[in-house]
Amino acid sequence: MEEVDRILIHALRQVGTDVDEDVDGVRQFTSELLVEAVVRCIRVIDPGLGGALAPSLPPGMSARFRVGMSLAQACQDIGYKGEIGYQTFLYSSEPEIRSLLMFLVEKLPRESAEASAQPSGKSAVLQRAIAAAVRAQLDLAWVPPNCRLPLHCETQSGGALNSFYTRTLSSPHCMKDSKTTDLKEVTEYHRDVLAPVTAQCSSGATMAASLLEQHAAELSAAQEWDSEWKSQGLLSRLTPQEYRSRKLARLQKRIQEQLRSAAQPASESAFPRAASDLSDVLQSFRGSAPSEDLLMKGTHFSHTQKFTFTQEAPAAAAAGPILSARELGGDVQLRQQEELSALQLQFQQLCSDVERLAADMKHAAVTHAQALDELKQRELGNSEKEEKLQVKKKTIGLLPDADANVVQLQSLVEASAKRVVSLASQWEKHRAPLIDEHRRLKEICSRQDLESSRKLSEIKSLHEKIHVSTEEAKKKEETYKQLVTELESLPQDVSRSAYTQRILEIVSNIKKQKEEITKILSDTRELQKEINSLTGKLDRTFAVTDELVFKDAKKDESVRKSYKYLAALHENCNQLIQTIEDTGTILREIRDLEEQIETENGNKTVSNLERILEDFKAIRQENAALAAKVKEG
Amino acid sequence: KDVNGDTLWVWCYPSVGSDLRQVLLRKCCLTQESRHFRTFVFGQYSRSWYYISTVEVQEPTALTKVTHFSIVVTSKDFNPEKYAALSRILCMYIKHGSPVKMMEAYIAVLTKGVCQSDENGSFLIKDYDVRKAYLAGSVKVVSQFGMETIILYTALMLKKRIVVHHPRIEALLEFTRALPALVWHRKDWSILHPYVHLAEVELEDLKTCPYVAGFVDPEVSNRSDLFDVFVSLPDSVITVSQSAKAMAMGKLHKDIGHVIVQSAEDSEGSDSQVIKDISTKTKEVLATLVALASECEDSKVTLEALKQHHFPPATENFLFHLAAAEQLLRI
């Protein structure tokens, strides 16, 4: 019982009840303490219910009575199934208090539920710590720079911020190509010349960033290769090197194609684009100093490019007069006009040249086509005529003996036809088994394909399982470490191991007792059975003897006497048995009555009764006072 | 084609070159993924015609594990009906399960011109005349384009490259085989390539001459380097490519166009009547040209001679190119 009480008191202290140090057991709980404990428990269990209740007993008796009733109601709402009323709180008895407090403490929500919901793991712990620190910092009010205490300086001023500037580092690990690891010079370089990573960066600020970047790059490359290999690499059934080389070739080909396609349209449209660029440039030049050379070159260039499009001519021609219009000065204008007319003459000449050339080209193309056509036709005609010539030559050779040759030719034809047919059948004989073989091999191939794909999928699933189990193992190790540290940091006031030991002991005790009880019960049953059988036997024996003796009793005097003795013996033994049974019953009753006495003694009934009478008197007085007040007022 | 999905060659006589083999495999619809089997397809490749008929194998037959087969017949002449009939007879492959019988029949046709078929009657080569083949396509199909047929007519006269597109091969074949009938005076069906894929080998083959080519692939409309005139059959749209400047039309063309349309709409006349009308008109034009040529020395026309007659520029252009096409131009 003391253990139970200590657990209860500890739990109540955790809830917030102010239990004195020397209160050792529930026996010593006063009504006020009890009420406070119950109210605090209810508040934790169900804040809605508990909000309406006050943790302290008011002095007035009727108020106390009311408080008791509401508390009892609240406990019943929560689910307490025992008998409860105001008397439990005001005139309490130990067993009732104990059961009520145990029920309430059990109902308290478990704190462990929150803890298990939080993710475990080192990173989670770290993140939680970070979150807590940031929250604490945010809670601090922002203070203007002048008033800052050193505590605030760290968190609120700009501080030593560094931009994220990285620098490629080289280390022996990052060059893992098979080509370079064997070279002696490379290893020498790595050993003797290459500076350590901390020295490779110009300033300390970039070092962290560079290291992070390099590590992230390597990690992501490794992960990508892993995932790609698992998904596609295994499917292609190549070794890793082959797969890599094939991928490289594929990428190179694609790059080539892209470059080629990008270069082609560029080259096609280069001409007009170049010309338009040039004309833009020329337009910009027009505003500035008139450099005739440039302009002349411009018109040259533009119209040699676009000689087929005569629409450009008016535009270029318009460029000339516009230029002349912009100039200032009379003689300058004259000179300009002379030059202009010369240029225009030249231009016209060129245009006519161009047209002539165009017409020539067209003519040439058409005649070329016609000539080709003719040529082709003639060639075809030639070949046909040649064939006919051959045939006619042969026929002429055969003409002298026309009929016989015709017959011979026909027989030749038939013979060759038959030969072809026989060859065909022979080939067919060869072909059929080959085709069957081909089909059979194909089937085998496809079956093997199926099998290998099945095995691949198995491999994949194994990979996944491995992955998953390694992760789980890692997580579990982390949680274990974390929990060990947590366990060490836990306060040691309540020794749970002692409790668990006691509980296990009690459980084993109970088991033993149960066994003993069952043994005793079985013994009792056995005894009862024996008694029953013996009684039965006795009755039967007595009946038989009785009859037997009675039969003889009529005739013989001594038998009558012995019959009387037998009857008396039977009667007395019966009485004995009866007395023994009564003794047993009475002993049981005595035990029950003793138990009841004990429980009643614990109830403190007398003291409670006195208190009730006093309180009753107090209520009566209060009632009288209130009635008087009402009458006055 | 057999159960495994392979398409295998069974037999070829005489030998078939490997690139022709490739082309034929491509044309033969057994290698294509679609389930749509065309019973009869023909086309031209490097001056020889091929005719493919495909048959699905129904149970029960002597052939196990074969789902479909195709018969390919190549020859130098254009006569789809003849070869269709021949292929039907050769389909006795089904019954016997071996190509030997087929070989016998084919050789009989080659040597004697006749062969027995399992159904009553025999196959005679002389039943199938080439002129009938030429006329078999209905020119009235062309009248679907109305006045725009004149573009096709001009292109054919001037020996330009025409590309026709239709997603279904049967419609394509039917339409394209009628086109060379518009220039009946040449009777040249070797320009017809009714079934071409966009493969390098076949396009190389096309480049050797002016052609009327049919494509099933809609991508061909992007290949403007392949054609001067593009006909999209399902939309009934004719497009003239930018570089074909010889196709400008004039009054002469309008006349001819009217003649074509009128005779096509004339539902009483037969196809041959339409062709006759068109060829009459063509002969008129050619007669003028010949007359012009005879004026010049060595009966060849030159551009200057044409210019002296002061034709309108479109007609002059047309006559100039026509002269080149008919080989009347002085080189």
Side-chain angles (χ1 to χ4, degrees):
Chain A
M1 282 308 153
E2 300 81 22
E3 295 286 345
V4 175
D5 288 350
R6 249 193 286 153
I7 296 174
L8 280 176
I9 290 171
H10 175 73
L12 290 175
R13 280 208 189 108
Q14 277 193 337
V15 169
T17 323
D18 209 4
V19 184
D20 287 339
E21 286 302 323
D22 52 347
V23 170
D24 242 359
V26 171
R27 230 176 308 126
Q28 299 169 1
F29 266 40
T30 57
S31 304
E32 289 88 4
L33 191 55
L34 176 63
V35 163
E36 190 188 342
V38 168
V39 167
R40 284 205 198 276
C41 287
I42 291 180
R43 273 195 189 155
V44 173
I45 295 172
D46 190 347
L49 275 180
L53 302 165
S56 57
L57 269 186
M61 202 50 234
S62 51
R64 280 196 190 194
F65 174 68
R66 240 179 289 129
V67 165
M69 284 304 295
S70 54
L71 271 181
Q73 186 63 37
C75 290
Q76 273 186 343
D77 285 342
I78 291 181
Y80 186 63
K81 294 225 173 35
E83 208 182 287
I84 188 171
Y86 68 95
Q87 74 277 12
T88 333
F89 299 100
L90 300 177
Y91 318 111
S92 43
S93 68
E94 198 184 329
E96 283 183 10
I97 299 178
R98 190 171 291 127
S99 64
L100 177 65
L101 283 177
M102 282 201 325
F103 170 78
L104 285 173
V105 166
E106 264 181 42
K107 275 278 184 179
L108 285 176
R110 299 240 171 263
E111 306 146 351
S112 59
E114 317 176 337
S116 63
Q118 280 172 348
S120 57
K122 262 195 298 204
S123 58
V125 170
L126 182 63
Q127 281 175 3
R128 259 182 277 151
I130 292 174
V134 168
R135 234 179 279 143
Q137 283 185 13
L138 284 177
D139 286 341
L140 283 181
W142 183 83
V143 176
N146 307 325
C147 322
R148 275 194 198 145
L149 304 173
L151 168 68
H152 295 149
C153 271
E154 267 187 24
T155 57
Q156 291 185 2
S157 59
L161 293 174
N162 296 316
S163 42
F164 191 84
Y165 183 69
T166 63
R167 194 187 168 289
T168 28
L169 305 168
S170 52
S171 66
H173 286 298
C174 60
M175 304 207 288
K176 265 218 165 129
D177 298 339
S178 53
K179 298 179 275 213
T180 52
T181 40
D182 298 337
L183 285 181
K184 201 163 62 93
E185 290 83 4
V186 175
T187 44
E188 272 185 26
Y189 169 69
H190 282 320
R191 201 178 40 223
D192 299 332
V193 179
L194 190 59
V197 165
T198 44
Q200 280 182 29
C201 303
S202 50
S203 75
T206 59
M207 196 189 73
S210 322
L211 276 175
L212 280 173
E213 191 209 11
Q214 193 192 36
H215 179 71
E218 280 181 17
L219 191 64
S220 61
Q223 271 181 356
E224 263 191 46
W225 168 249
D226 227 3
S227 65
E228 191 188 338
W229 177 245
K230 286 211 182 92
S231 63
Q232 287 179 6
L234 285 178
L235 275 180
S236 65
R237 293 152 211 221
L238 303 164
T239 62
Q241 288 88 354
E242 275 181 32
Y243 182 70
R244 265 191 242 240
S245 57
R246 219 181 262 199
K247 191 174 162 197
L248 190 65
R250 225 184 5 210
L251 284 172
Q252 273 178 349
K253 205 167 63 165
R254 221 197 282 176
I255 291 174
Q256 275 176 9
E257 277 178 27
Q258 289 278 16
L259 284 175
R260 215 178 285 150
S261 64
Q264 267 178 6
S267 61
E268 279 167 7
S269 57
F271 267 169
R273 245 202 295 137
S276 62
D277 285 346
L278 192 56
S279 58
D280 288 341
V281 167
L282 290 177
Q283 283 200 7
S284 70
F285 272 113
R286 232 187 278 144
S288 54
S291 44
E292 297 97 8
D293 295 324
L294 202 56
L295 189 60
M296 200 161 66
K297 275 206 203 114
T299 48
H300 255 290
F301 191 53
S302 52
H303 83 240
T304 46
Q305 294 291 330
K306 302 177 188 174
F307 70 99
T308 46
F309 300 159
T310 51
Q311 292 96 323
E312 291 300 319
I322 293 176
L323 174 65
S324 60
R326 274 186 170 254
E327 290 319 301
L328 317 160
D331 55 343
V332 177
Q333 263 193 355
L334 247 151
R335 226 185 322 127
Q336 289 288 329
Q337 278 185 353
E338 276 176 37
E339 287 183 29
L340 183 66
S341 49
L343 279 172
Q344 273 182 339
L345 263 174
Q346 217 174 9
F347 174 67
Q348 274 165 11
Q349 214 178 9
L350 284 167
C351 277
S352 55
D353 281 343
V354 158
E355 279 174 18
R356 199 172 30 92
L357 282 170
D360 282 343
M361 269 195 57
K362 204 167 74 156
H363 194 261
V366 169
T367 42
H368 173 73
Q370 179 187 331
L372 268 180
D373 209 16
E374 236 179 294
L375 178 69
K376 215 176 2 155
Q377 278 188 1
R378 290 221 180 132
E379 270 180 10
L380 280 173
N382 276 352
S383 52
E384 273 176 35
K385 283 187 186 146
E386 267 189 34
E387 283 179 23
K388 280 195 197 148
L389 183 66
Q390 292 277 346
V391 171
K392 287 218 168 112
K393 256 199 215 165
K394 288 203 185 131
T395 24
I396 288 177
L398 292 173
L399 258 181
D401 201 7
D403 295 326
N405 281 337
V406 165
V407 169
Q408 210 181 11
L409 269 174
Q410 273 183 345
S411 60
L412 247 180
V413 164
E414 281 178 20
S416 45
K418 280 204 200 96
R419 206 182 48 228
V420 168
V421 169
S422 69
L423 278 173
S425 50
Q426 280 183 9
W427 162 243
E428 188 57 29
K429 264 189 255 162
H430 278 285
R431 189 187 74 94
L434 283 175
I435 289 279
D436 287 335
E437 182 73 19
H438 173 84
R439 284 187 185 144
R440 197 180 57 85
L441 287 172
K442 263 233 147 163
E443 272 184 46
I444 292 178
C445 210
S446 64
R447 246 185 287 142
Q448 280 179 345
D449 265 341
L450 277 171
E451 273 207 39
S452 56
S453 54
R454 197 176 46 86
K455 286 207 181 127
L456 264 180
S457 57
E458 275 186 34
I459 289 175
K460 243 200 245 176
S461 63
L462 273 175
H463 266 300
E464 278 182 31
K465 270 193 225 166
I466 289 173
H467 188 65
V468 163
S469 18
T470 41
E471 279 200 25
E472 271 192 39
K474 252 190 258 169
K475 251 192 262 172
K476 287 210 172 130
E477 280 222 27
E478 280 187 25
T479 11
Y480 171 70
K481 276 189 217 149
Q482 196 191 335
L483 286 174
V484 162
T485 46
E486 259 185 53
L487 181 67
E488 285 163 16
S489 63
L490 270 183
Q492 295 283 349
D493 47 354
V494 180
S495 66
R496 294 170 59 112
S497 52
Y499 285 144
T500 43
Q501 290 265 357
R502 287 293 302 276
I503 290 172
L504 288 170
E505 276 179 33
I506 291 174
V507 165
S508 60
N509 278 347
I510 290 177
K511 242 198 256 175
K512 269 189 240 156
Q513 283 179 5
K514 199 167 156 195
E515 280 176 30
E516 283 178 23
I517 289 173
T518 35
K519 225 190 331 173
I520 290 174
L521 277 176
S522 59
D523 282 347
T524 319
R525 245 182 266 130
E526 291 271 349
L527 276 172
Q528 191 68 36
K529 263 197 236 167
E530 248 190 79
I531 292 173
N532 287 345
S533 69
L534 282 172
T535 332
K537 220 198 267 184
L538 172 70
D539 282 338
R540 284 195 295 272
T541 331
F542 177 66
V544 168
T545 334
D546 191 44
E547 245 186 76
L548 209 59
V549 174
F550 192 69
K551 256 196 281 189
D552 291 337
K554 293 184 200 150
K555 305 169 208 158
D556 211 352
E557 195 53 47
S558 55
V559 177
R560 214 183 287 165
K561 248 200 272 183
S562 58
Y563 178 73
K564 276 190 208 153
Y565 287 149
L566 175 68
L569 180 66
H570 187 71
E571 195 63 43
N572 290 337
C573 290
N574 270 349
Q575 271 185 4
L576 262 175
I577 292 171
Q578 194 64 38
T579 331
I580 291 172
E581 282 181 10
D582 288 340
T583 322
T585 329
I586 288 172
L587 275 175
R588 273 198 299 248
E589 278 183 27
I590 289 174
R591 256 207 310 265
D592 287 341
L593 284 172
E594 278 179 6
E595 276 184 34
Q596 281 187 10
I597 289 171
E598 265 191 52
T599 43
E600 283 304 318
N601 274 344
N603 269 349
K604 309 189 272 189
T605 329
V606 176
S607 53
N608 277 348
L609 211 51
E610 288 174 16
R611 281 211 335 236
I612 288 174
L613 281 174
E614 283 178 23
D615 293 338
F616 177 58
K617 280 193 206 132
I619 286 184
R620 265 235 171 126
Q621 285 174 3
E622 276 182 24
N623 278 352
L626 283 172
K629 260 200 201 155
V630 166
K631 268 202 208 132
E632 284 173 24
Chain B
K1 182 170 177 175
D2 68 351
V3 165
N4 285 341
D6 295 332
T7 312
L8 303 168
W9 285 90
V10 172
W11 180 253
C12 45
Y13 170 81
S15 63
V16 172
S18 65
D19 49 342
L20 179 58
R21 210 185 273 242
Q22 288 291 327
V23 170
L24 288 176
L25 267 180
R26 208 185 358 254
K27 301 293 179 218
C28 161
C29 47
L30 290 183
T31 50
Q32 290 163 11
E33 286 303 319
S34 64
R35 301 270 137 217
H36 198 67
F37 288 111
R38 317 243 163 83
T39 16
F40 186 64
V41 163
F42 61 86
Q44 190 192 152
Y45 179 74
S46 59
R47 298 205 68 82
S48 70
W49 289 90
Y50 56 86
Y51 306 88
I52 309 178
S53 34
T54 318
V55 177
E56 185 169 354
V57 176
Q58 312 280 356
E59 300 287 333
T61 67
L63 290 170
T64 53
K65 297 197 184 189
V66 176
T67 59
H68 304 82
F69 69 89
S70 289
I71 299 184
V72 180
V73 181
T74 57
S75 83
K76 289 247 177 273
D77 57 332
F78 173 75
N79 201 335
E81 280 70 33
K82 173 166 107 178
Y83 290 104
L86 182 59
S87 313
R88 268 199 297 280
I89 293 179
L90 291 178
C91 282
M92 62 168 74
Y93 177 48
I94 294 183
K95 300 232 182 69
H96 299 273
S98 93
V100 178
K101 279 272 180 249
M102 215 161 65
M103 275 302 306
E104 287 181 11
Y106 183 65
I107 297 225
V109 168
L110 264 189
T111 50
K112 300 194 198 113
V114 65
C115 94
Q116 291 296 110
S117 76
D118 285 345
E119 297 99 38
N120 299 335
S122 48
F123 170 77
L124 297 156
I125 284 193
K126 57 186 201 296
D127 278 345
Y128 296 90
D129 186 21
V130 86
R131 271 184 72 102
K132 280 200 225 160
Y134 288 165
L135 289 174
S138 162
V139 182
K140 298 214 176 155
V141 166
V142 178
S143 67
Q144 138 188 19
F145 288 98
M147 230 1 219
E148 295 195 336
T149 17
I150 188 59
I151 304 180
L152 292 172
Y153 174 78
T154 320
L156 282 165
M157 289 288 279
L158 299 180
K159 295 200 176 165
K160 296 287 173 201
R161 303 171 296 169
I162 305 179
V163 161
V164 183
H165 166 256
H166 194 285
R168 262 181 56 238
I169 181 65
E170 291 90 0
L172 202 58
L173 291 176
E174 200 185 315
F175 181 76
T176 44
R177 74 183 289 180
L179 281 180
L182 286 176
V183 279
W184 185 254
H185 60 283
R186 288 192 200 137
K187 290 206 187 52
D188 181 14
W189 256 258
S190 67
I191 58 172
L192 177 63
H193 294 77
Y195 185 24
V196 187
H197 281 107
L198 275 172
E200 270 311 308
V201 179
E202 302 182 32
L203 294 177
E204 282 297 318
D205 181 53
L206 274 186
K207 282 194 188 131
T208 51
C209 56
Y211 50 79
V212 173
F215 287 82
V216 180
D217 194 348
E219 287 278 313
V220 73
S221 56
N222 298 334
R223 300 288 302 265
S224 55
D225 56 326
L226 285 179
F227 57 83
D228 299 316
V229 177
F230 179 73
V231 178
S232 168
L233 263 191
D235 311 328
S236 295
V237 168
I238 302 186
T239 331
V240 177
S241 132
Q242 292 292 358
S243 49
K245 292 223 250 43
M247 300 284 292
M249 309 279 179
K251 183 170 174 309
L252 179 62
H253 300 263
K254 254 206 213 139
D255 287 338
I256 303 179
H258 272 305
V259 166
I260 296 179
V261 171
Q262 264 173 359
S263 73
E265 281 169 8
D266 183 12
S267 52
E268 286 177 13
S270 63
D271 286 331
S272 46
Q273 185 62 34
V274 175
I275 294 182
K276 255 194 221 147
D277 290 339
I278 299 179
S279 70
T280 323
K281 191 74 190 165
T282 319
K283 282 206 187 85
E284 280 178 25
V285 176
L286 285 174
T288 26
L289 204 54
V290 168
L292 283 174
S294 56
E295 285 170 21
C296 318
E297 48 204 58
D298 72 32
S299 66
K300 295 280 187 198
V301 178
T302 57
L303 194 55
E304 296 79 13
L306 275 180
K307 281 208 199 304
Q308 283 170 6
H309 286 267
H310 297 293
F311 287 115
T315 316
E316 181 186 310
N317 208 5
F318 175 65
L319 286 174
F320 177 63
H321 281 93
L322 186 58
E326 297 291 331
Q327 300 179 350
L328 288 175
L329 195 62
R330 168 120 52 97
I331 301 179

